[in-house]
Amino acid sequence: MIYSATALRKNIYAVLDSILESGIPVEIERHGKRLKIIPEGTTSRLARLEPHDIERDSSVSLENIHWDQSWNGKLPE
């Protein structure tokens, strides 16, 4: 979310608490430029991904698929 400096000043403690609880950075716009408040030790988006169970078909290998027959040289419209 993007706050103006005035809106941030009015709600500074609520904004800081929400950043700490959610871990989501907040942007503040001042004089046409943006600043970010980011909690220390923030992990990347990739690090926050949760693992999912997936099914793998062991009978088909992507290495053995040949696309030469299906490629016509044109992109789909």
Side-chain angles (χ1 to χ4, degrees):
M1 180 169 219
I2 301 171
Y3 290 91
S4 67
T6 304
L8 176 66
R9 187 175 346 131
K10 289 180 184 178
N11 302 312
I12 185 75
Y13 293 111
V15 171
L16 293 176
D17 288 341
S18 75
I19 294 169
L20 288 173
E21 289 173 13
S22 68
I24 299 172
V26 170
E27 294 186 12
I28 298 96
E29 189 166 311
R30 178 149 172 94
H31 300 300
K33 297 193 179 200
R34 290 196 180 167
L35 305 149
K36 279 188 179 180
I37 300 176
I38 302 172
E40 187 175 57
T42 301
T43 57
S44 70
R45 285 184 175 182
L46 292 176
R48 291 190 307 242
L49 288 176
E50 297 177 12
H52 297 281
D53 292 331
I54 59 171
E55 296 290 328
R56 294 183 185 195
D57 184 3
S58 60
S59 64
V60 176
S61 173
L62 292 177
E63 295 173 0
N64 297 328
I65 296 176
H66 298 285
W67 296 98
D68 300 338
Q69 303 297 323
S70 61
W71 174 251
N72 63 5
K74 296 181 183 178
L75 295 175
E77 294 180 17

